[in-house]
Amino acid sequence: MYEGLRYKSYDLEKNFGLNKAFLNTDIYGITGEEFSLGRTNIQIVEEMIKAGIKIIQYREKEKSKFEKYNECKAIRKLTKDSGVTFIVNDDVDIALAVKADGIHIGQEDIPIEEVKKITGNMIIGLSTHNIEQAKAAVEKGADYIGVGPIFNTTTKKNVEKSEGLKYLKWVSENIPIPYVAIGGIKESNILEVKRHGGKCFAMISEIVGSPNIVEKVKSIRRLLNTI
Ligand code: TZP
Ligand code: MG
């Protein structure tokens, strides 16, 4: 009976979109320690929060579970204290352990239906690279999708192929759930992404590789507000 109620309220939340505001924001920050000019993931997250970034994903491919858990624990505290949405990439167990707001998975991870069973009403984001994957993500109940890579990028190893801007435009006109553009997005090309339907922009190297993240974000926001 309690179980039933819990699921009912989850459905209500979904149906009325109460859970959907998390991507009503311009910049989606993602960690990438090797591009961070010697700063740690924690220091980068502190800078992102200072810069007013409202959603942050922890992405770390090189460290042990233990190190990742410890960093996520600290980032959960920082994001909670500042009202920032916290998403963990790949590791469902870590996301659950630190009570992150969400988990982001890829096409090669455990299927989203299974993740949903484990994570309850956590936000689930799924990376997509083409129209079929976007449609499937909606059918399977993803809360948002990643759309990309928009441009070439060397940040991600074995990066997938995508029609980039053309695919983004299609998503912007056809997909009813929130989406975030990703892959090679820079201050120098972000307006092109916006013109192709981009609303929320995920960036790794452009943000974490900037010596002054607060100024970088200000500058990108000035630009985004010009069209
Ligand atoms: N997924 C698709 S492209 C990419 C990820 C994680 C890397 C994005 O990094 P950058 O530095 O913003 O191109
Ligand atoms: Mg992944």
Side-chain angles (χ1 to χ4, degrees), residues 10 14 112-120 124 140-142:
Y10 173 51
K14 288 249 151 171
I112 190 164
E113 309 88 290
E114 297 300 330
V115 176
K116 259 178 178 302
K117 286 183 205 160
I118 307 169
T119 57
I124 302 184
K140 290 176 177 167

Side-chain angles (χ1 to χ4, degrees), residues 107 126-140 145 163 167 170-171 175:
Q107 296 290 325
L126 178 63
S127 295
T128 68
H129 318 293
N130 57 50
I131 293 175
E132 287 64 43
Q133 290 174 354
K135 287 181 185 162
V138 175
E139 265 163 37
K140 290 176 177 167
I145 54 173
E163 293 211 63
Y167 171 46
W170 183 89
V171 168
I175 289 294

Side-chain angles (χ1 to χ4, degrees), residues 2 25 44 80 93 102-103 109 119 175 180 192 194 207 220:
Y2 285 119
T25 185
I44 291 292
K80 184 145 223 123
D93 48 357
I103 172 81
D109 290 315
T119 57
I175 289 294
V180 53
E192 206 186 345
K194 184 171 174 180
I207 305 271
I220 292 172

Side-chain angles (χ1 to χ4, degrees), residues 9-28:
S9 82
Y10 173 51
D11 279 349
L12 279 175
E13 210 176 59
K14 288 249 151 171
N15 293 340
F16 289 97
L18 299 178
N19 191 23
K20 292 278 154 77
F22 61 92
L23 271 191
N24 285 342
T25 185
D26 48 4
I27 297 174
Y28 183 126

Side-chain angles (χ1 to χ4, degrees), residues 55-70:
I55 181 161
I56 297 177
Q57 180 189 123
Y58 178 81
R59 182 175 187 277
E60 174 53 68
K61 301 287 183 183
E62 306 298 332
K63 298 189 181 180
S64 70
K65 281 267 185 192
F66 183 67
E67 286 174 297
K68 291 194 280 185
Y69 163 76
N70 279 325

Side-chain angles (χ1 to χ4, degrees), residues 61 89-90 104-106 109:
K61 301 287 183 183
N89 188 49
D90 291 337
H104 189 96
I105 56 172
D109 290 315

